[in-house]
Amino acid sequence: MKKMIIVVVVLVLIAGGAGGFAFMQYSSASQAQAELEKLQEIQQKFDALVKESESQQASIASLIEKAQQFDAVKEALSNGVLLQDLETILRAQQAQTPERILSLGALRLIVKGKADPSTVEAYDRALQMVDIDNKLASICAAQAGMVAAGKKVEMLSECRKRQDAMAAGAPGATPAQAGAAAPPPAPAARPAGTP
């Protein structure tokens, strides 16, 4: 009987040891699996960063190429002959257009740089010639008319802002818009006894 108890105790100890060993192996395998998943996630992030880096290198190479082209154009135009010719042509033209003035401003920007006051003046003059407020009002009116006629049109964001301002009678609306949004004035009160 003692032998049987000893055998049972030894078997229980062996089973407990084997169970403990199996649990430890399972824990370390689970831990290794979690670490492997983390490493795979890190590898994916690294691969994405490598692809992004390659894309950025291609962008940088493209920018370097464009900068070299710009430098070559700037060097070729630096003598100012073309700029003088264009200014002479524009002075002789009876009807100067915003596009021609913009071209002059762009050429001045390349040849003389952004510090040249004539560059800013050319761009400012082109903006004044375009009269963007009137053109924007016309565009917004045309879009609103198309929408009212049942045509699906994606309104410009500026037109939506103008419509919202008109609907709300906001202080940002132009006087013409505010007048259009305001209700008509009430008739003046007549004194009692007048027809």
Side-chain angles (χ1 to χ4, degrees):
M1 179 89 159
K2 284 186 179 186
K3 286 185 181 181
M4 183 70 118
I5 293 174
I6 292 174
V7 170
V8 169
V9 169
V10 169
L11 286 175
V12 168
L13 289 175
I14 291 174
F21 180 74
F23 178 74
M24 287 173 46
Q25 289 297 328
Y26 175 76
S27 295
S28 69
S30 296
Q31 206 170 19
Q33 178 68 25
E35 288 178 13
L36 179 64
E37 288 173 1
K38 285 181 185 176
L39 287 174
Q40 287 174 340
E41 186 178 316
I42 291 171
Q43 179 67 37
Q44 289 173 349
K45 288 180 181 178
F46 178 75
D47 291 342
L49 287 173
V50 167
K51 286 180 183 177
E52 185 178 334
S53 172
E54 290 170 355
S55 171
Q56 288 178 352
Q57 286 176 352
S59 297
I60 289 171
S62 173
L63 288 174
I64 290 172
E65 182 182 344
K66 288 178 182 178
Q68 290 170 342
Q69 291 171 357
F70 177 78
D71 288 343
V73 169
K74 186 174 181 179
E75 184 66 31
L77 298 174
S78 66
N79 60 17
V81 173
L82 182 62
L83 181 60
Q84 290 172 353
D85 290 346
L86 183 59
E87 287 174 339
T88 304
I89 290 169
L90 285 178
R91 275 190 228 118
Q93 291 283 330
Q94 292 294 349
Q96 293 183 358
T97 64
E99 291 79 13
R100 288 183 176 133
I101 303 299
L102 282 174
S103 299
L104 176 65
L107 191 57
R108 279 186 169 284
L109 185 62
I110 291 172
V111 174
K112 296 195 175 191
K114 65 181 181 180
D116 180 42
S118 299
T119 301
V120 176
E121 180 185 324
Y123 283 118
D124 188 42
R125 204 165 87 205
L127 271 176
Q128 289 172 1
M129 289 176 76
V130 169
D131 193 14
I132 196 162
D133 286 332
N134 285 338
K135 288 197 178 195
L136 183 61
S138 298
I139 291 169
C140 292
Q143 285 189 333
M146 291 173 73
V147 168
K151 178 126 173 133
K152 287 194 175 195
V153 175
E154 186 172 333
M155 298 287 282
L156 293 174
S157 62
E158 288 299 317
C159 293
R160 284 194 301 264
K161 288 177 189 175
R162 290 169 74 106
Q163 281 183 339
D164 292 344
M166 283 182 5
T174 62
Q177 292 170 336
R190 297 183 183 164
T194 57

